[in-house]
Amino acid sequence: MDNNSFFPRDSIAALATPWGESALAVIRVSGADSLRFLDSLFRPASPAVGTLTAVQGHTVHHGAIVVPAGEGEPEIIDDVLVAVFRGPKSFTGEDGAEISCHGSPVIVRRLLALLTEAGFRFAGPGEFTLRAFLNRKLDLTQAEAVNEVVRARSDRARAIALNRLSGAIEQKITEIKQAVVRLSAAVELGLDYPEDEIEPSQPTAGGQAAALCQEELERLLATYRIGKLYQEGISVVLAGRTNSGKSTLFNRMLREDRAIVSEVHGTTRDYLEAVVTMDGIPIKLYDTAGYRDRADSIEAEGMRRTDSIVANADLVLYLVDAGQGLAFQDEEFLNSRAQAGRTIPIWSKIDALDAGRPSSPPGFLALSAKEGAGLEALSRRIVETVLDGAGLVEAGEPIIDSLRQKRLLERARQGIEDFRRGLREGQPLDVLAVD
């Protein structure tokens, strides 16, 4: 937000729903003068309503937005519903309203123009949430969670963000903070009354309390990676030689025919991408051009792009045609990936194998994308690999995914570690108080 355009006493307005044609659109306004400004444009359907400045909060009123006229009849722009909210019992803590109008871009544009003429200023990005924070309706972790709820790309990510919005992180941090304050008070008490004899058990009790605080901080910090995973997702790339079954697996995982499947080598010459979810984890899935030695210039460019995408992937599913077996190119790729990053080798097209053919090599996942055999095992393997032992989390657990929160928690943990080390070393109380 431009600092030069931010004045917290201004009355602000913004479209709360996406631009485009729709049945309805919602315009939100907030500010000390918002209802007075809106009164100049709103004509209630019932004269008994009077003015919006006089009605109670959490009420909805039917009427029309009109262009104020001198002596003539005012021009009606749209038939609307206005929901009125009174501060401090509103999202921002200020007086405000939500105008539900028809979703024509022409109507929305006209209404926004009228609002600015009436005295409103267009809100900056996130300004309604900022006002809620400034008016102590939300703490900073909840304010961050508002954006996370909007950006959630899976149902589990939504549930986790909604839990943060309800104050789960703030509650946990408050508990840790209160324990630290009690610990600090005990140290300050020793400084204020140095002549009093300190019980031998007191340093031990202080160390135990500090250890418990550190454990809670460690537990919260451990959720950062999993929180980022659910919020931002990962990239998974299907790679392998030509005709190894990549496009068939891509279509099967998407449950639609997005990629062309053919027996002709080199059918996929560029990459395709789509988004799927597995156990609530958003996954950007890539189907890529297959590797082979003899390729024209276009196919060679496709393989170059494959290399680029593979190099930046969070996970690679490398497919080997079970009917063709492992080739030197496959072994070379898998050996290089053993050092470069996470890869799941797949023994593909097992449906085409004759009875009695040898099973998949050690470490490979046998799969038939055509018949769906092995897909559940693949999904479990993908989730286990990206979680890397972290395990699935329950929606009610406090989870962080903000780098700001992570860094502050790390600073707090470092302070507790310094305090515990000082206790072990027998440092004086005035030194411990600094930690």
Side-chain angles (χ1 to χ4, degrees):
M1 185 186 302
D2 184 356
N3 291 332
N4 295 324
S5 65
F6 173 63
F7 298 96
R9 296 184 183 276
D10 288 352
S11 291
I12 56 175
L15 179 64
T17 48
W19 276 103
E21 293 183 2
S22 61
L24 296 173
V26 176
I27 297 173
R28 175 187 277 181
V29 299
S30 182
D33 295 319
S34 59
L35 297 180
R36 181 170 64 85
F37 290 161
L38 197 53
D39 264 333
S40 67
L41 303 173
F42 180 69
R43 188 172 69 182
S46 171
V49 173
T51 62
L52 296 177
T53 52
V55 302
Q56 294 182 346
H58 293 83
T59 56
V60 180
H61 307 279
H62 176 224
I65 296 295
V66 300
V67 178
E71 298 179 357
E73 185 70 18
E75 178 191 358
I76 297 177
I77 303 302
D78 194 22
D79 195 52
V80 301
L81 290 175
V82 177
V84 175
F85 302 96
R86 292 286 187 178
K89 296 181 179 181
S90 66
F91 175 75
T92 60
E94 306 171 326
D95 286 351
E98 291 182 355
I99 307 166
S100 297
C101 62
H102 293 97
S104 163
V106 175
I107 292 174
V108 171
R109 198 173 289 112
R110 185 72 185 279
L111 292 184
L112 289 173
L114 286 173
L115 290 173
T116 58
E117 293 171 9
F120 287 96
R121 169 175 63 79
F122 285 130
E127 188 170 355
F128 285 90
T129 304
L130 175 60
R131 291 192 175 200
F133 169 70
L134 294 176
N135 292 323
R136 300 185 178 182
K137 301 296 292 184
L138 300 173
D139 66 28
L140 200 49
T141 61
Q142 291 173 305
E144 290 172 323
V146 171
N147 184 51
E148 292 161 6
V149 170
V150 173
R151 292 177 56 240
R153 296 163 60 188
S154 72
D155 193 57
R156 189 180 294 270
R158 173 204 55 78
I160 292 172
L162 202 59
N163 185 48
R164 281 195 289 269
L165 183 58
S166 69
I169 292 179
E170 189 270 342
Q171 181 180 349
K172 175 58 69 175
I173 291 175
T174 297
E175 292 172 2
I176 299 172
K177 181 180 177 181
Q178 289 172 346
V180 172
V181 168
R182 288 192 294 269
L183 194 58
S184 177
V187 174
E188 295 292 343
L189 185 65
L191 285 172
D192 291 341
Y193 301 97
E195 69 279 2
D196 292 346
E197 186 176 348
I198 298 177
E199 294 292 335
S201 61
Q202 286 180 343
T204 301
Q208 291 173 346
L212 290 174
C213 290
Q214 185 172 341
E215 287 177 10
E216 291 295 331
L217 289 170
E218 295 281 6
R219 190 174 293 112
L220 206 50
L221 279 166
T223 66
Y224 175 71
R225 186 178 65 82
I226 198 73
K228 295 292 284 183
L229 180 65
Y230 281 114
Q231 189 66 32
E232 297 185 358
I234 59 167
S235 59
V236 175
V237 175
L238 304 180
R241 287 185 291 152
T242 57
N243 251 23
S244 57
K246 300 183 298 298
S247 295
T248 304
L249 180 57
F250 183 79
N251 289 340
R252 173 70 72 166
M253 293 177 76
L254 261 60
R255 295 184 174 87
E256 62 176 283
D257 289 332
R258 279 284 306 277
I260 297 174
V261 177
S262 171
E263 294 297 326
V264 177
H265 287 266
T267 301
T268 303
R269 298 195 168 203
D270 202 350
Y271 66 87
L272 299 175
E273 61 180 273
V275 176
V276 296
T277 59
M278 290 185 181
D279 279 335
I281 301 173
I283 293 176
K284 181 172 281 190
L285 187 66
Y286 292 88
D287 180 24
T288 61
Y291 294 114
R292 68 168 171 168
D293 295 328
R294 290 177 295 179
D296 58 31
S297 60
I298 297 177
E299 197 173 344
E301 173 62 19
M303 288 188 282
R304 187 195 67 78
R305 296 187 182 190
T306 296
D307 287 335
S308 176
I309 294 172
V310 165
N312 293 289
D314 296 303
L315 179 65
V316 175
L317 309 183
Y318 190 84
L319 281 71
V320 175
D321 185 345
Q324 298 296 322
L326 272 171
F328 172 76
Q329 193 174 23
D330 300 322
E331 295 177 342
E332 187 178 43
F333 180 94
L334 293 172
N335 289 336
S336 67
R337 285 293 300 179
Q339 302 295 326
R342 292 175 290 185
T343 301
I344 298 177
I346 296 175
W347 199 241
S348 179
K349 295 187 177 182
I350 59 172
D351 55 283
L353 292 178
D354 297 330
R357 290 288 294 273
S359 59
S360 59
F364 277 72
L365 187 82
L367 182 141
S368 169
K370 183 178 180 180
E371 296 182 352
L375 282 176
E376 288 188 13
L378 175 61
S379 296
R380 288 195 301 270
R381 183 87 168 268
I382 290 173
V383 173
E384 290 169 0
T385 302
V386 299
L387 289 177
D388 195 21
L392 292 173
V393 295
E394 298 298 328
E397 294 182 34
I399 297 172
I400 65 170
D401 71 351
S402 161
L403 184 59
R404 181 194 67 84
Q405 295 169 10
K406 177 175 178 286
R407 287 174 175 170
L408 290 174
L409 289 171
E410 286 173 339
R411 286 175 56 187
R413 179 185 60 184
Q414 186 60 52
I416 296 294
E417 287 178 353
D418 293 343
F419 177 81
R420 294 181 67 196
R421 183 175 64 252
L423 279 179
R424 291 193 299 269
E425 295 173 354
Q427 294 178 0
L429 291 179
D430 54 348
V431 175
L432 292 176
V434 173
D435 295 327

